[in-house]
Amino acid sequence: MKLIRIGNIENEKPGVELPNGDWVDVSGFGMDYDEEFFGGDGLERLEKWIEANKTNLPKFNKDARIAAPLKRPSKIVCVGLNYAKHAEESGMTLPNEPVLFFKATSAIVGPNDDLIIPKGSSKTDWEVELGVVIGKKASYVSKENAMHHVAGYVLHNDYSEREFQLERDGQWVKGKSCDTFAPIGPYIVTQEEIQDPHNLDLWLTVNGETMQKSNTSDLVFNVPHLVSYISQYMTLLPGDIISTGTPFGVGLGFNPPKYLKAGDIVELGIEGLGTSKQVAKAL
């Protein structure tokens, strides 16, 4: 299934994109896409409910705002330097273990909402990433069982303010968590629809110019490894997102670096997971 949420901020409704491309409202099912939904048997029950009610489901207007396809999760766990060529362009050696950091969930917005360049920013950068949505509570899980804890996948642009992240004291989180720095969606694609998450093309353009073009086959640590590894240090709750890292082509990696300014248009996509578009605006 492709899970979507449609509507203005604070008035989003859960929906599903049907195989024919229609967006249908499933708020009558009685659950939004949150920890309770993913942690129980929500996906299975929703699928049966849609089958039983498919002739009566109201359609969303396709001109409506697309929201983030899940309600605010407990956390976004990000993985740094997880593409071999990105580590190379950053001038850093490949890590022996996944490099983890957090991104505040208050940064989450819809996939086509505006990017707001924060006050004092001169180095706002882009990062197309494959997001993994947790579907079953994960604590000390093995690599062999890790995929049983995955609900699906989502497109994420892990925006970063490089001065805040790298040139000021402290951890990376403050360069990652500015408002609007986590556009997610357009939808969550459930696991059975993605044959191999480690062979997906992903790309990003700025003002029509290709900046990132790669494939998830370049991941240093794959999805089962990441789910298992992270679960050794914290409990992953249903609905949590693991953002698996970005390929080469970020603004920081150019010589000289390229950063976003007001009016720039960022478009990105991952094979099977749809596309998104953000217009940069100054705060």
Side-chain angles (χ1 to χ4, degrees):
M1 283 193 297
K2 291 183 172 69
L3 308 180
I4 58 173
R5 295 173 73 245
I6 302 295
N8 294 329
I9 295 171
E10 304 299 337
N11 288 295
E12 299 94 340
K13 292 183 177 181
V16 169
E17 180 175 293
L18 298 178
N20 66 2
D22 286 344
W23 296 349
V24 293
D25 183 345
V26 299
S27 52
F29 177 66
M31 297 183 76
D32 206 342
Y33 301 144
D34 55 14
E35 181 179 339
E36 182 182 2
F37 174 83
F38 289 108
D41 58 352
L43 280 170
E44 293 81 2
R45 289 194 298 111
L46 176 60
E47 190 168 18
K48 293 176 182 177
W49 184 88
I50 290 171
E51 181 62 28
N53 294 275
K54 60 185 178 182
T55 60
N56 300 313
L57 295 175
K59 293 181 182 180
F60 286 118
N61 185 331
K62 286 213 167 184
D63 292 328
R65 172 182 177 263
I66 306 175
L70 75 171
K71 288 194 73 174
R72 188 177 297 171
S74 80
K75 53 188 170 291
I76 304 172
V77 185
C78 297
V79 185
L81 304 174
N82 198 34
Y83 281 76
K85 292 178 182 177
H86 175 52
E88 181 181 340
E89 75 170 349
S90 301
M92 302 180 185
T93 57
L94 289 178
N96 294 318
E97 299 182 33
V99 175
L100 304 181
F101 59 92
F102 284 110
K103 192 177 188 86
T105 58
S106 56
I108 293 175
V109 289
N112 302 319
D113 289 346
D114 292 335
L115 164 70
I116 305 302
I117 297 175
K119 291 181 180 180
S121 168
S122 60
K123 298 181 179 180
T124 293
D125 203 348
W126 55 81
E127 297 188 21
V128 59
E129 304 204 5
L130 170 68
V132 178
V133 180
I134 297 299
K136 179 182 177 184
K137 183 177 177 181
S139 179
Y140 297 106
V141 302
S142 66
K143 293 179 187 177
E144 292 73 22
N145 290 325
M147 296 306 289
H148 296 302
H149 296 262
V150 172
Y153 306 96
V154 68
L155 172 65
H156 174 217
N157 195 344
D158 176 25
Y159 281 113
S160 309
E161 213 299 332
R162 299 302 188 187
E163 181 187 351
F164 299 175
Q165 177 192 0
L166 302 172
E167 300 175 32
R168 299 191 182 183
D169 291 342
Q171 298 182 345
W172 289 3
V173 64
K174 61 179 175 284
K176 295 284 186 172
S177 297
C178 304
D179 291 350
T180 75
F181 269 30
I184 291 173
Y187 31 64
I188 295 169
V189 180
T190 52
Q191 189 181 162
E192 76 279 356
E193 290 203 20
I194 301 297
Q195 185 173 0
D196 182 3
H198 308 110
N199 186 26
L200 301 176
D201 291 333
L202 65 170
W203 56 270
L204 181 144
T205 67
V206 178
N207 300 326
E209 180 183 356
T210 297
M211 298 297 182
Q212 294 183 279
K213 187 174 183 180
S214 187
N215 187 280
T216 55
S217 60
D218 194 40
L219 283 168
V220 178
F221 302 105
N222 65 19
V223 173
H225 187 118
L226 293 174
V227 173
S228 174
Y229 180 87
I230 295 168
S231 78
Q232 309 305 308
Y233 300 97
M234 67 193 79
T235 296
L236 291 166
L237 296 177
D240 283 354
I241 296 170
I242 299 173
S243 200
T244 59
T246 198
F248 68 95
V250 299
L252 175 67
F254 287 88
N255 186 18
K258 299 180 180 181
Y259 296 115
L260 294 168
K261 61 186 184 302
D264 285 344
I265 299 173
V266 181
E267 298 179 82
L268 59 151
I270 299 179
E271 182 182 354
L273 301 183
T275 63
S276 69
K277 175 181 178 180
Q278 298 92 47
V279 177
K281 295 189 175 180
L283 185 62

